[in-house]
Amino acid sequence: VGEWLELPATEEELQAALQRIGIDGVEYEEYFFSDWETDIEGLRLGEYMNLEKLNELAAKYEDLEDWEKEVVQAIMELEGYDLDEAIEARDQYWLCPDIHTPEDLGHYILFESGDYDIPDYIAPYIDCEKFGRDIVLTADGGFTSKGWLERV
């Protein structure tokens, strides 16, 4: 017997779904997930996850701002964290969604971050790609499908 359930769900919705598949706590008490759909990139789910914990995670994720969801997904991609770990760590990272290459990174740091005051007449002679590659080698971060992610 199967049942689709959209998470997060209320306690009443959870209990009703369990009853519909025959989980009564007496004769049948085990369930498993045979299929799922999610818009959370990188989310790893297992057949025997705890439904209540999964529901709590879904509620935590739903409460995030859109930009925080992007950070969480980037953390999961770069660090291999599960959803709960990534949500907890989201304040320790900085995501720049427009940076996808070493050249983008070098250009951002040199000309947009405000860290350097480079005169216009020198700018054409700077190799942003090489500078960006050096930053990548020393930074605590990396490129993700969401952009450059760095631990702050």
Side-chain angles (χ1 to χ4, degrees):
V1 177
E3 177 77 20
W4 278 102
L5 181 63
E6 188 168 327
L7 300 180
T10 65
E11 183 62 31
E12 294 78 25
E13 292 169 328
L14 291 176
Q15 293 308 315
L18 290 172
Q19 284 180 350
R20 286 191 297 272
I21 63 170
I23 304 298
D24 57 13
V26 177
E27 186 175 355
Y28 299 105
E29 20 182 85
E30 293 183 9
Y31 57 84
F32 67 93
F33 298 94
S34 61
D35 195 11
W36 51 83
E37 293 178 6
T38 181
D39 60 351
I40 304 172
E41 293 178 34
L43 181 62
R44 295 181 310 267
L45 298 174
E47 289 180 319
Y48 299 103
M49 292 189 69
N50 180 290
L51 180 58
E52 287 78 20
K53 180 178 178 181
L54 188 58
N55 194 48
E56 288 174 18
L57 279 173
K60 275 186 189 180
Y61 185 79
E62 188 174 81
D63 287 342
L64 299 176
E65 299 289 332
D66 288 343
W67 67 269
E68 290 177 300
K69 291 177 182 177
E70 295 290 310
V71 171
V72 165
Q73 290 181 34
I75 292 169
M76 290 169 52
E77 181 181 334
L78 185 68
E79 304 288 9
Y81 289 0
D82 65 26
L83 180 59
D84 195 30
E85 292 170 321
I87 289 173
E88 294 302 316
R90 73 186 183 280
D91 293 333
Q92 300 170 22
Y93 289 85
W94 169 72
L95 176 68
C96 193
D98 298 326
I99 298 175
H100 294 280
T101 66
E103 184 175 9
D104 293 343
L105 181 60
H107 186 273
Y108 173 81
I109 291 173
L110 290 170
F111 299 107
E112 298 173 37
S113 70
D115 291 345
Y116 298 92
D117 186 22
I118 298 173
D120 291 340
Y121 66 91
I122 293 177
Y125 301 100
I126 296 176
D127 189 334
C128 291
E129 183 178 4
K130 284 183 181 177
F131 183 74
R133 279 198 314 258
D134 285 350
I135 297 298
V136 170
L137 293 174
T138 60
D140 189 7
F143 295 105
T144 72
S145 61
K146 304 295 182 185
W148 173 256
L149 181 72
E150 188 171 346
R151 187 181 295 265
V152 291

